[in-house]
Every structure is written in structure tokens, then in C-alpha cells.
Amino acid sequence: MKSLCGVLAAFLLFLLLGCAAPTAVSPAPVAEAPSSAEGVLRAAIAARAAVGFTYAGVSRVALPHRMGPSAAGNGKTLVRCWEAARGGAPTGQWKLFDVAKIRAPRLLPGAPFAPAPGYTPRDRAIPAPSAEVPAPEAR
């Protein structure tokens, strides 16, 4: 429980530091909770929802932005996320995860997120995404 509280506190801190969602975006309804990691991530990307999961034995909170087959042609499905917290500590960095290695994924409550800093739809690791957050509008 202590670890979960730390992760949630780190995520709230992340939101308060300027990555809160625009008010015009509303989350897409999820009819039922997806059972696979890919299903949870697809729902999170559609709703712009944060996800919590375990990867390499460490709890994480991330904002998934792009998912699809690896450019390496190795049959892996990858997801590009803004990692907000790892092991209860804030991180704030882009990470690439192998979807098959994600354990216990869950959608986290909260407002939809805005695209994270530096997000671009041009991702060489995932050239043909099956799900992605639209790129932010140029100002």
C-alpha cells in the first residue's frame, strides 16, 4: 500500500507541474475492463489515461502515447510512454516498453493527459502504430 501511495503521489505531482489535461478533451468511455496488457494500453491511449503496471519487477506509472509493432520486425509489440514514476519516485522521461513484459496493467483514475513534453508522432521504433495520441497542435 505504501508503494502505491508513493506512485500515486508522484503522478499527482507530475500533473501539478504542468502536464494537466486540456479541458476540451474528455476520456473515451471504456465498455469493459480490458484483460490483456495490449487491451489496457489501447484503452489508455484512446482515453488519454495514465496506467500503472509492473515492468522488470518495478512498479511504474506511465502515460502511453504510441503502440504498435517493433520496427525491428521481431514480432514484438512496443509502447512508447512518458514514464511519470518508477518505484514510487518521479522520473519524467520517455521510455519504450515491450508490451509482453508488462504485468498487472491498470487504468488509473484522473483527467485525460495532454501529450507529454517532446512528443512527436515520428517514432522510428514504432513506424506503423496501431494506437497513438494525436500530436499536439503547433503554436
Side-chain angles (χ1 to χ4, degrees):
M1 182 69 176
K2 185 177 178 182
S3 176
L4 179 60
C5 289
V7 169
L8 291 176
F11 178 66
L12 290 174
L13 177 65
F14 174 76
L15 289 177
L16 290 173
L17 291 176
C19 291
T23 56
V25 177
S26 60
V30 178
E32 59 185 65
S35 58
S36 69
E38 190 168 340
V40 171
L41 292 165
R42 188 174 306 285
I45 290 169
R48 293 188 182 186
V51 292
F53 57 89
T54 301
Y55 194 86
V58 180
S59 65
R60 300 169 193 255
V61 172
L63 310 177
H65 281 62
R66 186 177 179 97
M67 182 173 63
S70 170
N74 54 14
K76 293 182 179 183
T77 298
L78 304 176
V79 63
R80 176 77 65 192
C81 297
W82 177 260
E83 185 184 62
R86 177 177 52 236
T91 55
Q93 61 184 346
W94 286 105
K95 297 287 280 193
L96 190 62
F97 296 102
D98 180 345
V99 173
K101 295 179 181 180
I102 291 176
R103 301 289 176 254
R106 64 214 171 276
L107 297 173
L108 299 177
F113 64 80
Y119 174 63
T120 175
R122 294 177 302 277
D123 189 327
R124 292 181 183 163
I126 309 169
S130 58
E132 70 179 317
V133 169
E137 293 179 19
R139 292 183 181 185

